[in-house]
């Protein structure tokens, strides 16, 4: 799956955030989007996501969970598009053993197995984040687009979950803040500063000092 933005102006309504973006994401890449708060990482991620419409899993910065539903139901949302309304309504009320098992397998990959009957409202921040990741894993697809997907986890857990995502998805584009995590996980770093892409390089050509310049 190759995705391309060519000389695109990205923003919100009248507000231009990134005036002239050209960026191509190639199949098999693990791309980290980096830069200061407000520079436009989520805006860029959203534009790439839109190019992959329906073929990719998404992990939103706010997790996109429904507090009033159980962990199972939130994870199962990753499969809603695969089934018709009547099946989805039935699953909402009486999930069958197969559906429970599929959700449990996805939850196991994020260390949340055994918790599918819990209400999301009762979870910690890190647990909520892991439910959002399990949903993406259950959804599957050609790629995953994730906005700070491990920000609520400790570094070791975060690294392990990034590896889980890499094992599931051939291609990934992620907003990451932790420079060590980005250097350890990504194959390519795209850095934003002051309205544009100022760094686009294979990870082997980037060091922590170069990444810190993005935040200066
Ligand atoms: N839904 C929205 N409606 C209007 N403006 C928005 C919206 N989302 C973001 N913006 C604006 O677009 C600009 C870039 O925001 P964006 O969320 O892409 O930055 P970011 O680099 O991802 O920031 P952070 O690291 O804080 O999440 C900001 O000025 C922000 O206020």
């Amino acid at each position: 799956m190759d995705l391309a933005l060519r000389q695109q102006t990205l923003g919100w309504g009248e507000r231009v955030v990134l005036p002239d973006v050209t960026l191509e994401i190639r199949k098999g890449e693990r791309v980290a989007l980096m830069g200061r708060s407000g520079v436009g990482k989520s805006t860029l991620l959203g534009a790439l996501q839109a190019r992959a419409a329906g073929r990719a899993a998404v992990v939103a910065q706010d997790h996109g969970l429904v507090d009033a539903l159980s962990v199972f139901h939130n994870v199962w949302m990753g499969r809603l598009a695969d089934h018709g309304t009547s099946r989805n309504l039935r699953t909402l009320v009486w999930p069958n053993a197969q559906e429970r098992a599929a959700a449990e397998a996805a939850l196991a990959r994020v260390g949340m197995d055994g918790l599918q009957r819990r209400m999301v409202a009762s979870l910690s921040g890190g647990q909520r984040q892991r439910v959002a990741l399990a949903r993406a894993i259950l959804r599957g697809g050609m790629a995953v687009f994730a906005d700070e997907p491990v920000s609520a986890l400790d570094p070791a857990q975060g690294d392990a979950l990034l590896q889980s995502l890499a094992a599931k998805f051939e291609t990934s584009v992620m907003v990451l803040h932790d420079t060590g995590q980005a250097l350890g996980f990504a194959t390519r770093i795209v850095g934003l500063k002051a309205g544009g892409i100022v760094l686009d390089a294979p990870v082997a050509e980037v060091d922590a000092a170069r990444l810190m310049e993005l935040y200066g």
Side-chain angles (χ1 to χ4, degrees), residues 12 15 17 36-43 61 148 177:
W12 301 90
R15 182 177 159 69
V17 178
R36 292 177 72 161
S37 176
V39 80
K41 303 178 297 296
S42 302
T43 304
Q61 194 173 21
E148 302 182 39
H177 275 301

Side-chain angles (χ1 to χ4, degrees), residues 57-114:
V58 170
V59 183
Q61 194 173 21
D62 67 0
H63 311 144
L65 302 180
V66 180
D67 278 1
L69 291 175
S70 71
V71 167
F72 167 81
H73 288 113
N74 275 275
V75 172
W76 192 260
M77 280 175 204
R79 286 271 171 90
L80 289 184
D82 298 347
H83 305 293
T85 308
S86 56
R87 163 94 187 259
N88 286 332
L89 286 173
R90 198 267 300 145
T91 306
L92 185 67
V93 187
W94 294 297
N96 66 30
Q98 218 176 2
E99 291 159 352
R100 287 272 185 206
E104 190 69 0
L107 286 162
R109 292 178 77 155
V110 301
M112 287 282 289
D113 37 323

